[in-house]
Every structure is written in C-alpha cells, then in structure tokens.
Amino acid sequence: MKQITVARPKLNYSVDESYKSLRTNLLFCGEDKKVIAITSCTPNEGKSNVSFNLSISLAESGKRVLLVDADLRKSVLVGRTEVDGEIKGLSHYLSQQASLENVIYATNIPRFHIIYAGIVPPNPAELLGGKNFKNLLKVVRDVYDYIIIDTPPLGSVIDSAVIADQCDGSIIVMESGVISYRFAQEVKEQLARCACPILGVILNKVDLSKQGYGKYYGKYGKYGQYGQEGKE
C-alpha cells in the first residue's frame, strides 16, 4: 500500500468543535451505519470538505476510516494531498485496470486511508452501479469502521443515488441561503427512493453575523461551520 501525505486542515476552534459534534452524531447512529454517502444539491456547497474533515475527525477518534472519492466526474481530492507518481483510483478499479490493493492509499494520519477518483470514465453511473463497486464495499466493510463516500451533487447527476443504494446511510450538505426549499425537497425525495436512510442534513456556509444564528447556535459552538474555513 502506497503512503501519501495529507495536510491536516487548520480549523478554528468553533469549526473543529462542529466536526466533533458531527462525528458524535454519526457514532450515535449505530454500528450498522458504517458506509456513509455524502452528497449535495449543487456543486460548491462544501460536501468534499465535509467528507475529508469528517473522515480525519473519525480517524483521530480511533476509528479505522476509508475515504472513497466517488465523484468520478469532477474530483477535487487530489489537490489536498501530496502523491508521488501516477495515481490509480476508483475508476481504474471499477474498469479492472487496477486491483483494490493498488488503489488504496495510506496517509500520514494514523488509521486514515484514501481511494482517489482516478481518471474520468465515459460511463460513471454504469461503473458505480456495477458488480465491482458492490464487491469493493463488501471487502472494505470487514477492514474499516467507517467508509465515507464523497459523491457527486444529486441535483446534477444520478450517480449519488446509485451509490447511496448500496450504503447504510446518507447525508446531504446544503449551502445556507442558496438552495431553495423546493429544490432541497426534490433532492431529498430522490435520495429517499433509495434503499438507504437519510441520516441528516448539514447546513453549510451559514452567515453567523445575521440576526438569530448567534442567539441559537453560538452557545453550543456555532453548528453551522461544518465546511471550509472562514465564512461557513
């Protein structure tokens, strides 16, 4: 297994505490909820940040964690790590161009492993719905405590629903003040059609300076700040 370097994001206190709260909430969902799909309605809502930081937080709590970048159409994970040489990822495994052992990367953070997306394939949804992806999840279930799957925005492509159908639970990341109620309901209903319970919604990029948020959330660590640093 190849070793890569992951730069631990420097989160401010409230953001770090928010991830710990999110981690605790996930742990209370039960041991049977170990394969988790994370999606959003549209691009740039922060789902990849949430997937990455939640995975690290779980690993730091002593859990064995595998982060799977299943956004085969537009991956951003490679830019957050240091990898020497050619990268073999999920698309390579699903198309039988690489073995599972050759696409799992160990990191400098103990108990935290990564599978990158790999090259962009012509048929992402077909690959993710095939037997090779099911086999991957079957194998890693016996190795890791949690498998966090970063999936494409469900409001843009169907891939997330295909993935969630094989997971134990799903989480939707929504950017505050951007996604309409109607659009959010449409995405929720589409995800609810899968054989996968929705564990919850993360409201991301909340402007805590607006009246009301500080009153209700400030005392408990500003729960809105689940994603990127700065304005969350």
Side-chain angles (χ1 to χ4, degrees), residues 2 11 47 57 198 211:
K2 295 181 179 180
L11 306 177
K47 66 171 181 60
S57 184
I198 300 174
Q211 185 177 5

Side-chain angles (χ1 to χ4, degrees), residues 32-44:
D32 60 324
K33 300 294 186 296
K34 63 187 304 181
V35 181
I36 310 298
I38 297 182
T39 189
S40 61
C41 297
T42 63
N44 303 317

Side-chain angles (χ1 to χ4, degrees), residues 12-25:
N12 63 45
Y13 175 78
S14 17
V15 173
D16 189 50
E17 287 299 306
S18 296
Y19 275 110
K20 289 178 181 178
S21 297
L22 177 58
R23 179 184 72 195
T24 300
N25 289 337

Side-chain angles (χ1 to χ4, degrees), residues 108-182:
N108 55 305
I109 298 176
R111 299 173 296 276
F112 177 41
H113 294 171
I114 291 175
I115 294 180
Y116 292 102
I119 59 174
V120 179
N123 55 341
E126 288 79 4
L127 288 177
L128 293 167
K131 63 179 182 180
N132 288 336
F133 189 66
K134 294 178 181 179
N135 181 65
L136 182 153
L137 295 183
K138 181 180 179 181
V139 172
V140 298
R141 277 180 182 275
D142 296 330
V143 180
Y144 298 93
D145 298 307
Y146 283 96
I147 299 97
I148 305 298
I149 306 179
D150 181 18
T151 75
L154 187 53
S156 302
V157 292
I158 197 63
D159 302 17
S160 293
V162 174
I163 295 169
D165 203 43
Q166 304 175 55
C167 297
D168 304 324
S170 58
I171 296 173
I172 305 174
V173 176
M174 291 188 184
E175 182 176 352
S176 175
V178 173
I179 306 302
S180 69
Y181 176 81
R182 181 175 180 179

Side-chain angles (χ1 to χ4, degrees), residues 203-225:
L203 187 62
N204 199 25
K205 302 185 182 181
V206 174
D207 187 352
L208 297 174
S209 66
K210 291 184 177 180
Q211 185 177 5
Y213 282 111
K215 175 181 178 182
Y216 293 106
Y217 293 101
K219 181 179 178 181
Y220 296 100
K222 301 179 182 178
Y223 287 164
Q225 300 191 27

Side-chain angles (χ1 to χ4, degrees), residues 28-102:
F28 273 105
C29 287
E31 294 182 354
D32 60 324
K33 300 294 186 296
K34 63 187 304 181
V35 181
I36 310 298
I38 297 182
T39 189
S40 61
C41 297
T42 63
N44 303 317
E45 292 188 78
K47 66 171 181 60
S48 294
N49 271 341
V50 170
S51 301
F52 187 69
N53 290 323
L54 174 59
S55 297
I56 293 176
S57 184
L58 285 166
E60 290 179 340
S61 73
K63 301 298 182 181
R64 293 167 296 176
V65 183
L66 176 65
L67 172 59
V68 180
D69 185 355
D71 193 344
L72 301 183
R73 301 171 191 264
K74 189 180 179 181
S75 171
V76 299
L77 186 58
V78 173
R80 301 167 191 230
T81 57
E82 297 178 13
V83 185
D84 294 327
E86 183 184 6
I87 297 175
K88 296 289 186 179
L90 180 61
S91 61
H92 292 91
Y93 170 76
L94 297 181
S95 59
Q96 298 183 317
Q97 299 181 54
S99 66
L100 182 56
E101 181 182 23
N102 289 331

